[in-house]
Each structure stands twice: as C-alpha cells, then as structure tokens.
Amino acid sequence: MASLQNSPTLHQTLFHNSFPQKHGASRSSRRESISLIVKAAQVPSPSNSTGSLSQDRPGRRQVIAIGSTSPLVFLFNQHSYSFAAENKKGFLPVLDKKDGYTFLYPFGWQEVVIEGQDKVFKDVIEPLESVSVNMIPTGKQDIREFGSPQEVGETLIKKVLAPSTQKTKIVEATEQDIDGKAYYRFEFIAQAPNYTRHALSTVSIGNGKFYTLTTGANERRWGKMKDRLQTVIDSFKIFNV
C-alpha cells in the first residue's frame, strides 16, 4: 500500500470526490466557494423520457426542469456502442469515449463542474446526493497491485474520499470481476459535525489510469436512495480506448 498512500497527486486530485455542503443559510456561500457551474439538465418530453421522476417531492424537480433554458447536449448516441451502460428506467447514461468509461446516474440530477473532477452530477436540492468520476495516471496494470479491497478502501476513505476532519467508517469492501477486469467496491460512512454522508465507491485500473467513481447521500435519506446509488455503482464500466 506504500505507493498508494504516498501519492500526493492521488490525494490532491481525488479529495473532492467527497464534496458535502452545509445546509441552511451557509449553503449558498459554500457553493460559491467551490465555484460550481451548474449546467441545465435535459428536459425530456413525455414522449421521449427515459425514466419517471423521483417520487420524493416530485414537484420540486419539475419546477427546476421547467426553469432550465439550455438543454444539456449529449455528444454521443448511446445505442451506437455495445460498451455503453445499459439504459434503465429512471436513469440517464454517460459515455466518455475519450477516457474510456460509462455509467448511469439518476434522472433529475444536474451536471456541475468541480475542479479536479472529470464528471460530476448532483441533486441541487439534496447536495449530498451526487456522483463523481476521477482519474489519475498510474503505472499499475491491476487494482489488486495496490493491496486488498479492505486495504485500498481504508486508505482512500481516510486520506482521499473524506476530509481528514470527518470520522469515517468502512462498512464493506469487496472485489468484483467484470469482463475480466477487477473492480474494488467500498461502502463507507463519513461523519461531519452537522451531517453524515453514506457513500459507495468503486475503483479500477485501465488505459493507464486509476479510476474512482463515488456516489452517496445524506444518512437520513440512505434508506430511500441506496438502491438507486447501488445502480450507479453497478453500471460503472471501463473500456479500452
């Protein structure tokens, strides 16, 4: 684990995978401090919608969507690539042909830009509900070269995926084989003074890069969101470019 623990580039670049925001009056200032640039989400018509809106306060997302004036243009045809994440009701696909990965995210989340992240989508009403993807170069060929799932998970969670001021606990660390490629998956909890985030991460190596996808939600909404967040994790795949 020495090579992973002693990588300042990994720590600096991946640290923002966990970007919780304080609630209440400080939410606006927090958003400004990390320079979020919110892009308007695509608003599908009833005839071409890929999934139904969340049943959790359904009106709120409709209001946000109606207020959007610029549709988010997807620069790919999801049906043209066999390695694209399989479409699923209530989710939208992301396919990055340049960097070689694909995943699904819940309908209603909007894309934002955060420094150091390749892709971020989040719920603008529940800011702890998000998914982010990050990559850094690596000379390793397999995630197992960094250690066991437990070892890699503990290092990433304590040093990268959550601020050092938060109390963290790894709930589970597992390994999956997808199309001959090893992926590590972690479930963990990060506790701050005024909120607790329950999160899932998956990491793997391909194309000379160390990939990390992290998604999560406020602990109080974990029961409602965990199945959707698990779908996000399950959908993440790396392909050769």
Side-chain angles (χ1 to χ4, degrees), residues 35-51:
S35 303
L36 295 184
I37 305 173
V38 180
K39 298 181 181 180
Q42 183 180 29
V43 185
S45 64
S47 60
N48 65 6
S49 174
T50 59

Side-chain angles (χ1 to χ4, degrees), residues 15 27 29 60 65 75 77 106 116 128 153 171 174 176 192 197 209 240:
F15 184 81
R27 181 183 296 177
S29 60
R60 64 177 186 164
L75 302 179
N77 182 341
L128 294 182
V171 177
T174 61
Q176 280 77 35
R197 189 173 194 238
K209 301 173 183 177
N240 293 329

Side-chain angles (χ1 to χ4, degrees), residues 160-212:
V160 179
L161 299 179
S164 59
T165 56
Q166 295 184 2
K167 295 180 180 180
T168 59
K169 175 185 177 182
I170 186 166
V171 177
E172 185 178 29
T174 61
E175 176 181 337
Q176 280 77 35
D177 183 282
I178 302 176
D179 299 329
K181 183 181 294 293
Y183 293 75
Y184 286 174
R185 294 179 180 177
F186 322 116
E187 178 181 348
F188 66 97
I189 297 171
Q191 186 175 1
N194 59 337
Y195 63 83
T196 299
R197 189 173 194 238
H198 203 137
L200 301 171
S201 288
T202 182
V203 298
S204 190
I205 289 177
N207 302 309
K209 301 173 183 177
F210 186 111
Y211 293 78
T212 303

